[in-house]
Amino acid sequence: MCENVRVTVWNEFRHERDNEQIAKIYPDGMHAAIARHLEEQPGIVQVRTATLDEPEHGLTDEVLAETDVLTWWGHAAHAEVADEVVARVRDRVLDGMGLIVLHSGHYSKIFTTLMGTTCNLKWREIGEKERLWVMAPGHPIAEGIGEWIEIEHAEMYGERFDIPAPDELVFVSWFPGGEVFRSGCCFQRGRGKIFYFRPGHETYPIYYDKDVLRVIYNAVLWAAPVGSARPTFGNWQPLEKVGD
Amino acid sequence: MCENVRVTVWNEFRHERDNEQIAKIYPDGMHAAIARHLEEQPGIVQVRTATLDEPEHGLTDEVLAETDVLTWWGHAAHAEVADEVVARVRDRVLDGMGLIVLHSGHYSKIFTTLMGTTCNLKWREIGEKERLWVMAPGHPIAEGIGEWIEIEHAEMYGERFDIPAPDELVFVSWFPGGEVFRSGCCFQRGRGKIFYFRPGHETYPIYYDKDVLRVIYNAVLWAAPVGSARPTFGNWQPLEKVGD
Amino acid sequence: MCENVRVTVWNEFRHERDNEQIAKIYPDGMHAAIARHLEEQPGIVQVRTATLDEPEHGLTDEVLAETDVLTWWGHAAHAEVADEVVARVRDRVLDGMGLIVLHSGHYSKIFTTLMGTTCNLKWREIGEKERLWVMAPGHPIAEGIGEWIEIEHAEMYGERFDIPAPDELVFVSWFPGGEVFRSGCCFQRGRGKIFYFRPGHETYPIYYDKDVLRVIYNAVLWAAPVGSARPTFGNWQPLEKVGD
Amino acid sequence: MCENVRVTVWNEFRHERDNEQIAKIYPDGMHAAIARHLEEQPGIVQVRTATLDEPEHGLTDEVLAETDVLTWWGHAAHAEVADEVVARVRDRVLDGMGLIVLHSGHYSKIFTTLMGTTCNLKWREIGEKERLWVMAPGHPIAEGIGEWIEIEHAEMYGERFDIPAPDELVFVSWFPGGEVFRSGCCFQRGRGKIFYFRPGHETYPIYYDKDVLRVIYNAVLWAAPVGSARPTFGNWQPLEKVGD
């Protein structure tokens, strides 16, 4: 871990092409903004991008085999992600690939499949403030972050967030409208690590925020696979003599 | 909770009809053995059974609506369980119905769907001993149980058990062949509680064991729904005045 | 569990005697308000109270032996609680007695000793609103509660709350000043269950609030001891034949 | 994390001086065996040792200030560790220093203080085999380890191990006498990370085992402090305008 990490930044990449306002913020797509930042960080040796409208959504067996951590942003077109690609990504996560699910990715097929729950939530889009409080100040994903992160304009997500209780809860968000949200959640599934991170609506320049980018970078290092044994399954002979 | 619980005991009910040896142990099926025990317990007001070969596997909307806790035993015919019934059961669990998954039910569609992982494991069938150690002596599922449960002849299941880390780990099994297994695991999913309990192979009279039956009964009480608010999801107005 | 629960409501009981304003709200002390409510609830068969200025703070071996669940409110006089009483209470908790720690009890000797951390936090007293969101809608402590609890005037507690990650997180509070707080936290220690519940400042009539009282009642039922085996410790003979 | 880690290896260092048999295995003490291994590992820039009979047990403020991760082995002389040193170590752990507690260190003042429970267990010393199964194959502490670790001759520790449920359970041990044990346990306390690792009895050459040494090294990297904000506590002004 912590070095030679190969990242693939996946993006639905529709809003940025369909909406002029959003195109101004992210002319090359949100994936480009995230990828550019990660490319410059220590420990990361390769950053690719992949998008929905590429063949196989850019997530071929080859690409996944060479990906240590995959970040995922989707929103309007979750249903268009092919089930076989979802199954392929899931297999890779269970085998050790890290997965960082961003913002509206909470409703993606890959996240809901891995969680087993609806991943539903409350939402509101009035550009209000968000403050993410650090719940776990010793967690590697909080490295370099102050006591909280403030985002001036954000879409609101509110609890109940219908996920399994996270294995580690790193951030909880406050919104002025009166809601809270578990906005930084770690899950271990199979040999893979999953981090859900809330910020990132397409109509705000959130993926240029240095704290948000730092968290994504930290999460990538945290989620990188560990060189541990792949468990064997199935019929199994005793390791010790049984009975007389 | 703790009273007026309505249970439905579900069983694949094939081995008991196909195999003479097994039929001798469970002439009316394993579900009958479990149901008879539960019927006599305080706090339980209704016990039904349902099996794979009934229409809709006996799990109609009506039955599920009147079920507080569902127990599940399946093995050879997981694939024959209809996807729409699985989806129906899952919706009920997320809405609050308890689910007790027994033994080879680890590989059922309903369990793997709710877990999001493969739920794979190691196994061996040589009739060896199993000793289940209590890890959480204050847990309601351990009520009335000693420091451990001993089962003279059991199928072995060994780690790695590919599940999410359980919210609470109640039992860990020891096997003479050298393996261990997380054999009593609690999960909260949506408003529902899930308990996986390992013992129960069809070729041994395990569902007559008083400790095993006690754990199933305890788990039923623990998993009974709580009269809590059903969360609302979707677009949401602020509860407080936002901005100036 | 769930029946025949014997509760002892412990209170520092100083503010109510020293401060006229507070005496008006709680003429017989906060413990009396809580005790009166619990006395009327099903499943509870005995409610005592005990206070700091009684001999042994009212927590003799006899009283503790007859207590299934102890609730604790302290604030200004944590240091006056005798270490031997703290040790006695701790032993009982580890042996199975439930403990409900209320509000400023976060800084009590008994809570900090059982947690192992400072239990420090941010605070502010300007009588602002508190909204407690239910994080775990299927949890028995949330029974009968809506999606959230609203308290019109409360002292603020804000994160970072220096506790171990709770085993279960039932409530998270929102405050208008911009803070959040894990305000309903479950811990298992030894055979005992501990619930920390934030609301309850002495200058507000919070222990007359029906939702707050409901949570305390639910927590008492949840924390009641389970009739499980007391583990044995120390030198231990093998249960199986070892070696050849 | 993951680089420039400064380790202090602490050892009671009595058995190795008092017992000829043990002195033969560890002529310079167990701390020397561990320290020598760590010195050669990448990411570790400094390894000191400290022992009970040095002034302040070798754990002055200066030493602790320059220690990122402290490993702890104690057994016969837990009571001789000065309370003020324990308090000093605890403060450093809560402030971010990692702590690796080895074998009989389960009963040390520093571990029991941080856990809040008795940390008691069953034990037996007949030199039997131990097999540690990996429960969390994606965890950094399992890096480079197979599906299990085998130790030919070990002291047995058996459940019930009276600790809080670990935040992450990395290993569970199997013993031929019929017991199991949670032998690799992660805890977060304050900003610090704690790892309890069971193997290591003084009468067996366990700290020369490559898997055991690998786990200790992995744990050191995992437990190294993260450069995150130190939380502020106490009275706190609102970040947002409250009220009208």
Side-chain angles (χ1 to χ4, degrees), chain A residues 2 131 137-138 144 147 228 232 240, chain D residues 2 131 137 147 227-228 232 240:
Chain A
C2 290
R131 178 176 294 111
E147 282 204 79
S228 61
T232 53
E240 308 289 330
Chain D
C2 290
R131 179 176 294 111
E147 281 204 79
S228 61
T232 53
E240 308 289 329

Side-chain angles (χ1 to χ4, degrees), chain D residues 10-163:
Chain D
W10 194 87
N11 187 11
E12 192 179 285
F13 195 32
R14 290 272 176 88
H15 294 302
E16 301 95 323
R17 293 185 294 159
D18 296 350
N19 182 312
E20 224 174 284
Q21 203 72 23
I22 296 169
K24 272 185 198 154
I25 306 173
Y26 297 111
D28 306 314
M30 284 178 279
H31 54 296
I34 295 169
R36 265 176 222 139
H37 179 76
L38 291 176
E39 275 165 0
E40 297 161 6
Q41 304 309 311
I44 293 185
V45 294
Q46 179 190 286
V47 181
R48 301 169 193 248
T49 63
T51 57
L52 180 64
D53 293 323
E54 297 174 43
E56 303 185 52
H57 315 320
L59 298 173
T60 59
D61 278 327
E62 293 67 34
V63 166
L64 289 176
E66 294 170 6
T67 299
D68 294 314
V69 180
L70 177 68
T71 75
W72 193 277
W73 197 101
H75 179 217
H78 292 316
E80 295 181 44
V81 178
D83 288 345
E84 64 263 33
V85 174
V86 173
R88 193 186 290 163
V89 172
R90 176 177 176 267
D91 286 351
R92 273 289 293 141
V93 171
L94 296 180
D95 195 43
M97 183 181 72
L99 179 69
I100 314 297
V101 177
L102 297 170
H103 190 62
S104 44
H106 75 91
Y107 237 16
S108 62
K109 287 183 184 178
I110 183 61
F111 190 59
T112 56
T113 296
L114 282 163
M115 295 295 105
T117 56
T118 68
C119 301
N120 214 336
L121 46 74
K122 296 180 174 67
W123 60 270
R124 173 177 66 231
E125 200 182 338
I126 59 170
E128 68 208 277
K129 184 186 283 192
E130 173 178 16
R131 179 176 294 111
L132 298 97
W133 287 92
V134 175
M135 291 293 114
H139 199 283
I141 293 181
E143 182 145 24
I145 301 296
E147 281 204 79
W148 68 84
I149 296 173
E150 219 166 295
I151 294 174
E152 213 45 50
H153 300 288
E155 186 186 14
M156 187 283 298
Y157 282 2
E159 297 279 347
R160 165 63 176 182
F161 185 18
D162 184 27
I163 50 169

Side-chain angles (χ1 to χ4, degrees), chain A residues 97-170:
Chain A
M97 183 182 72
L99 178 69
I100 315 296
V101 176
L102 297 169
H103 190 61
S104 44
H106 75 91
Y107 237 16
S108 62
K109 286 183 183 177
I110 183 61
F111 189 59
T112 56
T113 296
L114 282 162
M115 294 296 105
T117 56
T118 68
C119 303
N120 213 337
L121 46 76
K122 295 180 175 66
W123 60 270
R124 173 176 66 232
E125 200 182 335
I126 59 169
E128 69 207 277
K129 184 186 283 191
E130 174 178 16
R131 178 176 294 111
L132 298 97
W133 286 92
V134 174
M135 292 293 113
H139 199 284
I141 292 182
E143 182 145 24
I145 301 296
E147 282 204 79
W148 69 84
I149 296 173
E150 219 167 295
I151 295 173
E152 214 45 50
H153 301 288
E155 186 186 13
M156 187 281 298
Y157 282 3
E159 295 279 346
R160 164 63 174 179
F161 184 19
D162 183 28
I163 50 170
D167 296 328
E168 298 167 301
L169 179 60
V170 184

Side-chain angles (χ1 to χ4, degrees), chain B residues 52-112:
Chain B
L52 179 65
D53 293 323
E54 297 175 44
E56 304 185 48
H57 316 320
L59 298 173
T60 60
D61 277 327
E62 293 68 34
V63 167
L64 289 176
E66 293 170 6
T67 298
D68 294 314
V69 181
L70 177 68
T71 75
W72 194 277
W73 198 102
H75 180 217
H78 292 314
E80 294 181 43
V81 178
D83 288 345
E84 64 264 32
V85 174
V86 173
R88 195 186 287 164
V89 172
R90 175 175 176 265
D91 287 351
R92 273 289 292 141
V93 171
L94 295 180
D95 195 43
M97 183 181 74
L99 178 69
I100 316 296
V101 176
L102 297 169
H103 191 61
S104 44
H106 75 90
Y107 237 16
S108 62
K109 286 183 185 178
I110 183 60
F111 190 58
T112 55

Side-chain angles (χ1 to χ4, degrees), chain D residues 164-180:
Chain D
D167 296 328
E168 297 168 301
L169 179 60
V170 184
F171 298 105
V172 168
S173 283
W174 174 97
F175 293 96
E179 297 83 9
V180 299

Side-chain angles (χ1 to χ4, degrees), chain A residues 162-220:
Chain A
D162 183 28
I163 50 170
D167 296 328
E168 298 167 301
L169 179 60
V170 184
F171 299 104
V172 168
S173 285
W174 175 97
F175 293 97
E179 296 83 9
V180 299
F181 194 77
R182 289 170 291 171
S183 49
C185 298
C186 298
F187 304 91
Q188 180 97 19
R189 291 296 182 268
R191 294 199 300 160
K193 298 186 198 73
I194 302 167
F195 183 63
Y196 174 79
F197 189 45
R198 205 209 77 84
H201 198 54
E202 66 274 10
T203 58
Y204 310 109
I206 287 171
Y207 292 126
Y208 297 110
D209 181 281
K210 76 171 184 15
D211 281 340
V212 168
L213 290 169
R214 179 66 196 260
V215 169
I216 294 173
Y217 168 57
N218 289 343
V220 163

Side-chain angles (χ1 to χ4, degrees), chain C:
Chain C
M1 52 164 191
C2 288
E3 48 185 21
N4 301 327
V5 181
R6 301 163 301 171
V7 185
T8 299
V9 178
W10 195 88
N11 187 10
E12 190 178 286
F13 195 32
R14 291 272 176 88
H15 294 302
E16 302 95 323
R17 293 185 295 157
D18 296 350
N19 180 312
E20 226 174 283
Q21 202 71 22
I22 296 169
K24 272 185 196 154
I25 306 174
Y26 296 111
D28 306 315
M30 283 178 280
H31 54 296
I34 295 169
R36 268 178 220 135
H37 179 76
L38 291 176
E39 275 164 2
E40 297 162 7
Q41 304 309 311
I44 294 184
V45 294
Q46 180 192 288
V47 182
R48 299 169 194 247
T49 63
T51 55
L52 179 65
D53 293 324
E54 297 174 45
E56 303 185 50
H57 315 320
L59 298 173
T60 60
D61 277 327
E62 294 67 34
V63 167
L64 288 177
E66 293 170 7
T67 298
D68 295 314
V69 181
L70 176 67
T71 74
W72 194 277
W73 197 103
H75 180 216
H78 291 316
E80 295 181 43
V81 178
D83 288 346
E84 63 263 32
V85 174
V86 174
R88 193 187 289 163
V89 171
R90 175 175 175 267
D91 286 351
R92 273 288 291 139
V93 171
L94 296 179
D95 196 43
M97 183 181 73
L99 178 69
I100 316 295
V101 176
L102 296 170
H103 190 62
S104 42
H106 74 91
Y107 236 17
S108 61
K109 286 183 184 178
I110 183 61
F111 189 59
T112 55
T113 295
L114 282 163
M115 294 295 104
T117 55
T118 68
C119 302
N120 213 338
L121 46 73
K122 296 180 174 67
W123 61 271
R124 172 175 68 231
E125 201 181 338
I126 59 171
E128 69 208 277
K129 184 185 282 190
E130 174 178 14
R131 179 177 293 111
L132 298 97
W133 286 92
V134 174
M135 290 293 114
H139 199 282
I141 293 182
E143 182 145 24
I145 301 296
E147 281 202 78
W148 69 84
I149 297 173
E150 218 166 296
I151 295 174
E152 213 45 49
H153 301 288
E155 186 186 13
M156 187 282 299
Y157 281 3
E159 296 279 348
R160 160 65 178 187
F161 185 18
D162 183 29
I163 50 170
D167 296 327
E168 297 168 302
L169 179 60
V170 184
F171 297 105
V172 169
S173 285
W174 174 97
F175 293 97
E179 297 83 10
V180 299
F181 194 77
R182 287 169 294 170
S183 50
C185 298
C186 299
F187 305 92
Q188 181 96 20
R189 291 297 182 270
R191 293 200 301 160
K193 296 185 199 75
I194 302 167
F195 183 63
Y196 174 79
F197 189 45
R198 203 209 78 82
H201 198 54
E202 67 274 10
T203 57
Y204 310 108
I206 287 170
Y207 292 126
Y208 297 111
D209 181 281
K210 75 172 185 14
D211 280 341
V212 168
L213 290 168
R214 180 65 196 263
V215 169
I216 294 173
Y217 167 57
N218 289 344
V220 163
L221 292 192
W222 169 82
V226 162
S228 61
R230 179 174 289 133
T232 53
F233 296 115
N235 190 234
W236 181 257
Q237 295 307 307
L239 297 165
E240 307 289 330
K241 204 180 147 222
V242 179
D244 351 87

